Amino acid sequence: MNFHILTLFPEMVMNGLNTSIIGRAVNAGHLSIEAVNIRDYAFNKHQSVDDYPYGGGAGMLMQAEPVYLAHEAVAEKIRSRKGAAGHGETDRRFRTVYLSPQGSVFDQKMAENLAQEEDLILLCGHYEGIDERVLEEIVTDYVSIGDYVLTGGELPAMVMVDAISRLVPGVLHNDVSAEFESFQDSLLEYPQYSRPEEWHGKKVPPVLLSGHHANIEKWRREQSIIRTYERRPDLLEKCELTEKEKKWFREWLEENM
Ligand code: ADE
């Protein structure tokens, strides 16, 4: 999968993504990540990319043309690799995400959906935003990473690249772990323990030492349900429990409430 990040701060994005699992996946060829500096597409000699908003108001806006040219440069590369031409209307054969608090809130389902793309363009705004006209021409998806306002789209873009990349085949060494972790099936992950068997007087739950795989699986599933109920009850509503699990959970509630 190829990520193309349009930004005024390319080093920030690349420095944040070249370490650990994502950095390794890039080196191994499972992913490519490029940060394109929008300032390189400034059309005046001062290389400025911002200007005052018409109608007044606080702050500066990113101008349409540099954003458009930076996007067009990336789009052209993708089109030529795909062996297809076509200008004019928004090209829907690849998606361009604008990171904005006004977007749909990013979640695991959206990450799974975007992980199917071969190319993904992420557009990071700064200052008070970007001239609306260029957004209308190039953006296919508006995405927020949560209901708070950041100073720019770079951190949200990095969050998206991280969450999407770990779903790309080969990025995590064991594909099982991407499948079974938090949020799969809308349940949070069960608690985990490693050596020693006793630490600060706390013992590892005996079932985990039993070697009985079916019991361990059952215990983990139950712990996931309890944990989701306690920490994110909103997620539990979306989760499909079996009749047996529903019965067990009713009994657990009676005992523990
Ligand atoms: N830009 C500023 N705040 C943001 C947020 N919460 N999500 C995505 N992009 C943003």
Side-chain angles (χ1 to χ4, degrees):
M1 173 153 190
N2 309 304
F3 294 97
H4 313 267
I5 305 168
L6 308 179
T7 170
L8 290 173
F9 300 95
E11 308 84 35
M12 173 182 179
V13 172
M14 293 312 286
N15 288 342
L17 293 172
N18 67 8
T19 43
S20 187
I21 295 173
I22 305 301
R24 254 200 334 257
V26 170
N27 290 335
H30 299 301
L31 305 171
S32 81
I33 305 173
E34 65 162 350
V36 175
N37 193 344
I38 295 169
R39 202 174 293 283
D40 291 344
Y41 296 86
F43 50 94
N44 54 35
K45 66 173 189 289
H46 305 293
Q47 282 207 300
S48 72
V49 289
D50 58 326
D51 208 337
Y52 295 99
Y54 281 120
M60 306 286 271
L61 275 186
M62 283 167 70
Q63 292 168 284
E65 185 68 1
V67 172
Y68 179 75
L69 293 176
H71 181 268
E72 201 44 28
V74 170
E76 206 44 61
K77 244 193 317 197
I78 298 172
R79 286 187 200 113
S80 65
R81 181 158 33 77
K82 291 189 175 189
H87 294 270
E89 281 185 29
T90 306
D91 188 336
R92 298 211 174 262
R93 281 164 303 140
F94 53 83
R95 290 163 78 174
T96 298
V97 173
Y98 178 47
L99 286 313
S100 158
Q102 298 181 7
S104 313
V105 177
F106 187 59
D107 63 7
Q108 192 65 22
K109 282 229 155 51
M110 202 191 291
E112 283 164 20
N113 176 268
L114 290 169
Q116 308 303 315
E117 299 289 322
E118 188 181 338
D119 288 277
L120 191 62
I121 303 180
L122 299 169
L123 171 60
C124 306
H126 244 272
Y127 312 116
E128 293 304 311
I130 301 182
D131 189 308
E132 190 68 20
R133 293 166 295 183
V134 68
L135 299 178
E136 287 171 8
E137 278 200 25
I138 67 175
V139 173
T140 58
D141 301 77
Y142 291 80
V143 177
S144 164
I145 61 158
D147 290 336
Y148 41 81
V149 182
L150 300 165
T151 56
E154 283 75 14
L155 288 170
M158 289 156 73
V159 166
M160 288 186 68
V161 170
D162 191 290
I164 294 167
S165 293
R166 58 187 290 292
L167 300 173
V168 171
V171 171
L172 298 186
H173 288 306
N174 50 348
D175 288 342
V176 180
S177 67
E179 255 175 62
F180 283 98
E181 272 175 23
S182 279
F183 287 110
Q184 296 296 334
D185 206 11
S186 298
L187 285 179
L188 300 184
E189 204 180 12
Y190 46 79
Q192 304 234 58
Y193 306 86
S194 183
R195 287 196 291 184
E197 267 183 50
E198 185 173 332
W199 180 81
H200 280 200
K202 297 169 199 273
K203 292 200 169 83
V204 172
V207 63
L208 298 177
L209 310 174
S210 69
H212 192 301
H213 293 299
N215 285 354
I216 292 172
E217 281 316 305
K218 181 167 175 285
W219 180 86
R220 286 180 165 166
R221 177 84 181 165
E222 290 170 359
Q223 291 300 311
S224 282
I225 295 169
I226 294 168
R227 183 154 277 202
T228 309
Y229 170 74
E230 288 174 343
R231 297 186 182 182
R232 290 292 306 275
D234 56 309
L235 291 178
L236 198 56
E237 285 162 23
K238 296 185 212 160
C239 176
E240 286 175 25
L241 301 184
T242 64
E243 286 307 315
K244 226 172 164 180
E245 285 169 342
K246 283 183 195 158
K247 181 167 175 288
W248 166 83
F249 187 51
R250 275 196 300 274
E251 286 164 10
W252 182 89
L253 279 174
E254 268 165 34
E255 272 169 37
N256 291 277
M257 290 297 116

